[in-house]
Amino acid sequence: TFLVFVDYLRATARVAALSELNRVSYILTHDSIGVGEDGPTHQPVETVSGLRVIPKLDVYRPGDAEEAVAAMVSSVTREEGPTALIFSRQNLDQNNDMDFMARREGALKGGYVAKKETEDLDLIILATGSEVQHALKAAADLPGARVVSMPCMEAFERQSDEYKEEVLPSSCTKRIAMEAGVTGLWYKYASKVVGVDKFGFSAPGDIVMTEYGMTPENLSAEIASMD
């Protein structure tokens, strides 16, 4: 169903998580303000974060086809609780500059380096879902920038401290995150967040996304303002 309607089953999702039911998958689509003309009633700005705070519930928001494969695999093999699979309405660019198995393996860990810096690391851009493509474009002309795709915060937090430090080295404090939803949870990883802390409006999805800054151009401008 549309992601925005997950509130109709929130109680059962919570009990499934509380009971640590495994191989339970909630498949949710139309994940952001990109829903478009249906308007703010159908545009879930707060819903992804609302699911992320349920203990034992993994929330996957894949950024391309290979991450989607990993999300599906995780949902049917994980043994500690249910999984919410959250998919975009829009067509998404595929990160074909990176090996497909590396993308799958990275997504299974919840977060991974989707684009490595080519010079000394001075910036980390975090993104998830449909915003990963924007992060990759914004980083294209920044040789010191690393892109971290974070399809599942919960899975990433279960990784070893060594792995998390490898992906998000503490030595790099200049970090920015981007997601087409409320920003609060991202401040755990970044000092600046480009997100949507208000309800959407009715217009074609690409117009809503542009008006709310969900573009590589706006992300580049926000990065420039950090200097």
Side-chain angles (χ1 to χ4, degrees), residues 75-122:
S75 74
V76 298
T77 58
R78 181 172 174 250
E79 297 183 350
E80 298 82 21
T83 303
L85 303 164
I86 299 176
F87 298 109
S88 173
R89 174 196 182 189
Q90 297 92 329
N91 294 325
L92 305 182
D93 294 343
Q94 306 301 301
N95 185 14
N96 292 322
D97 290 336
M98 184 176 183
D99 177 73
F100 77 96
M101 282 304 299
R103 286 144 65 196
R104 293 184 185 184
E105 291 167 359
L108 281 170
K109 294 179 178 178
Y112 66 99
V113 178
K115 180 184 181 299
K116 189 171 177 57
E117 65 280 4
T118 56
E119 294 184 0
D120 291 343
L121 177 65
D122 64 9

Side-chain angles (χ1 to χ4, degrees), residues 112 114-115 121 123-127 131-132 134-140 142 145-150 168 172 174-178 190 219-220 223:
Y112 66 99
K115 180 184 181 299
L121 177 65
L123 170 68
I124 297 176
I125 308 172
L126 298 101
E131 289 68 67
V132 173
H134 303 328
L136 291 169
K137 290 176 182 176
L142 300 173
R146 169 183 297 191
V147 175
V148 171
S149 177
M150 186 80 73
L168 296 173
C172 183
K174 185 180 178 182
R175 302 179 184 182
I176 186 170
M178 185 183 207
L219 179 57
S220 295
I223 291 170

Side-chain angles (χ1 to χ4, degrees), residues 52 58 108-111 126 150 152-161 163-164 168 185 188-189:
R52 285 179 179 140
D58 270 12
L108 281 170
K109 294 179 178 178
L126 298 101
M150 186 80 73
C152 183
M153 291 181 177
E154 299 78 22
F156 182 73
E157 288 300 324
R158 291 196 295 270
Q159 304 308 308
S160 67
D161 290 341
Y163 179 77
K164 288 186 280 189
L168 296 173
L185 296 181
K188 179 174 185 176
Y189 305 110

Side-chain angles (χ1 to χ4, degrees), residues 21-76:
L21 298 182
N22 56 40
R23 298 176 177 83
V24 174
S25 304
Y26 302 105
I27 300 176
L28 306 160
T29 66
H30 295 67
D31 68 340
S32 76
I33 56 174
V35 171
E37 291 91 342
D38 284 329
T41 57
H42 287 56
Q43 296 170 8
V45 294
E46 82 291 356
T47 315
V48 176
S49 286
L51 290 174
R52 285 179 179 140
V53 299
I54 298 177
K56 296 290 185 179
L57 175 66
D58 270 12
V59 179
Y60 263 95
R61 187 168 178 248
D64 69 7
E66 304 306 336
E67 290 189 3
V69 170
M72 293 297 296
V73 169
S74 180
S75 74
V76 298

